[in-house]
Amino acid sequence: MSGTSDIADGGPKHVAVIMDGNGRWAQARGRPRLFGHHAGAKRVREIVESCPNLGVKYLTIFAFSTENWKRTQVEVAGLMSLFRRYITKEARALCDEGVRVRFIGDRVQLDRKLVSLMDELEGMTAHNDRVHLTIALNYGSRDEVSRATKRLAEEVASGNLDPADVTEETLTKFLDTRVLPDPDLVIRTSGEARISNFLLWQSAYAEYEFIDTLWPDFSSEIFANLVGSYGKRERRFGAVPA
Ligand code: IPE
Ligand code: IPE
Ligand code: MG
């Protein structure tokens, strides 16, 4: 037993997931939306733990978008408190499982306590390399590209960067995802076939899977199946197949 499956070779190295459908899952049970968010958070560990066997080295999950502030104060506050609790509760297990955790998104609008927990978790898992888990929290692609462009413009204004040297690679270095490879596969649960401002630049050539399952019903079996069917796809990156 090597511990890795057949999927590993031709499988996706980086999978990104839009974890959608928590609210509808709760509503279907006559419960408040936050009940769905709590159920959804519980699904994450099983998916992270299944990554090494599937050959998935990078997992990026969408937890809160820059547009999610439009929700009620009760839901937003409940989500922020869930994130604080989740990090506190899961930190040890993630670290022991060899997971390296990173956060992407704008931290400026987040409360100081949450940001310090995020920093702490990134620090305590920085030596890990078994799975790279990236949590998108207050993340939006347009916001990320705007922030990147602002910093790039500052470099130009201060004379450190010649506008003639601005290439795709240059801009990529200013993105929150600068150390991550591009996603190979993007999964969205809950039946919505849209991207909702998630990794737009990075997923230009990703494969997409839109599935009806609501996030709290997502399982490692469903994940393994999606990762498995990825291997049957032919990615062309604009070229003609040989
Ligand atoms: C996704 O579930 C989680 C977050 C956006 C925080 P939703 O809360 O969007 O659930 P639905 O789409 O309303 O069912
Ligand atoms: C995307 O889901 C954001 C997260 C999963 C965190 P949304 O539920 O916010 O997206 P829309 O509003 O349906 O496009
Ligand atoms: Mg939704």
Side-chain angles (χ1 to χ4, degrees):
M1 288 286 283
S2 69
T4 45
S5 75
D6 299 342
I7 296 168
D9 284 346
K13 188 173 157 207
H14 184 177
V15 181
V17 185
I18 302 174
M19 310 183 289
D20 196 18
N22 294 348
R24 278 164 283 169
W25 186 90
Q27 274 156 359
R29 285 157 182 78
R31 303 296 297 270
R33 296 178 58 84
L34 276 167
F35 181 69
H37 294 315
H38 281 266
K42 287 196 192 119
R43 304 311 307 153
V44 173
R45 190 193 293 190
E46 178 184 323
I47 307 309
V48 175
E49 283 176 0
S50 69
C51 285
N53 266 354
L54 298 171
V56 175
K57 192 81 181 167
Y58 295 85
L59 177 71
T60 299
I61 56 175
F62 205 2
F64 191 87
S65 79
T66 44
E67 286 72 38
N68 287 147
W69 298 103
K70 294 176 193 163
R71 298 186 177 199
T72 65
Q73 205 264 331
V74 169
E75 183 168 352
V76 170
L79 279 165
M80 293 303 149
S81 132
L82 171 63
F83 298 143
R84 286 193 299 270
R85 265 210 277 165
Y86 182 85
I87 296 173
T88 310
K89 229 176 104 225
E90 293 290 313
R92 191 72 264 153
L94 287 165
C95 196
D96 292 349
E97 286 279 329
V99 181
R100 176 159 190 179
V101 184
R102 296 183 177 90
F103 292 90
I104 54 171
D106 190 0
R107 298 179 195 206
V108 173
Q109 288 146 282
L110 299 174
D111 79 54
R112 295 222 324 256
K113 172 74 184 155
L114 176 56
V115 174
S116 73
L117 288 167
M118 290 158 65
D119 289 339
E120 217 177 291
L121 183 56
E122 285 186 334
M124 83 187 257
T125 62
H127 60 283
N128 285 342
D129 185 43
R130 194 155 168 257
V131 185
H132 293 246
L133 171 67
T134 302
I135 304 176
L137 211 168
N138 194 27
Y139 175 85
S141 270
R142 290 179 172 185
D143 176 68
E144 178 193 36
V145 173
S146 308
R147 285 186 286 107
T149 308
K150 192 183 291 175
R151 287 205 305 278
L152 196 148
E154 284 163 4
E155 290 296 300
V156 170
S158 60
N160 293 329
L161 182 64
D162 183 342
D165 292 334
V166 177
T167 61
E168 290 184 14
E169 283 68 34
T170 318
L171 182 54
T172 300
K173 287 195 191 108
F174 287 85
L175 296 175
D176 297 349
T177 53
R178 65 187 78 83
V179 298
L180 305 176
D182 284 344
D184 302 299
L185 173 65
V186 177
I187 297 169
R188 182 174 188 144
T189 59
S190 92
E192 311 296 347
R194 55 177 175 258
I195 298 310
S196 302
N197 205 8
F198 187 49
L199 301 176
L200 301 180
W201 170 281
Q202 297 86 343
S203 301
Y205 271 101
E207 300 290 329
Y208 287 90
E209 287 278 6
F210 298 100
I211 61 158
D212 287 338
T213 311
L214 302 173
W215 175 255
D217 293 327
F218 196 77
S219 64
S220 50
E221 288 76 35
I222 301 173
F223 187 59
N225 281 336
L226 294 171
V227 168
S229 27
Y230 167 91
K232 301 187 191 89
R233 293 173 176 225
E234 180 193 37
R235 297 177 80 188
R236 294 183 179 173
F237 300 98
V240 172

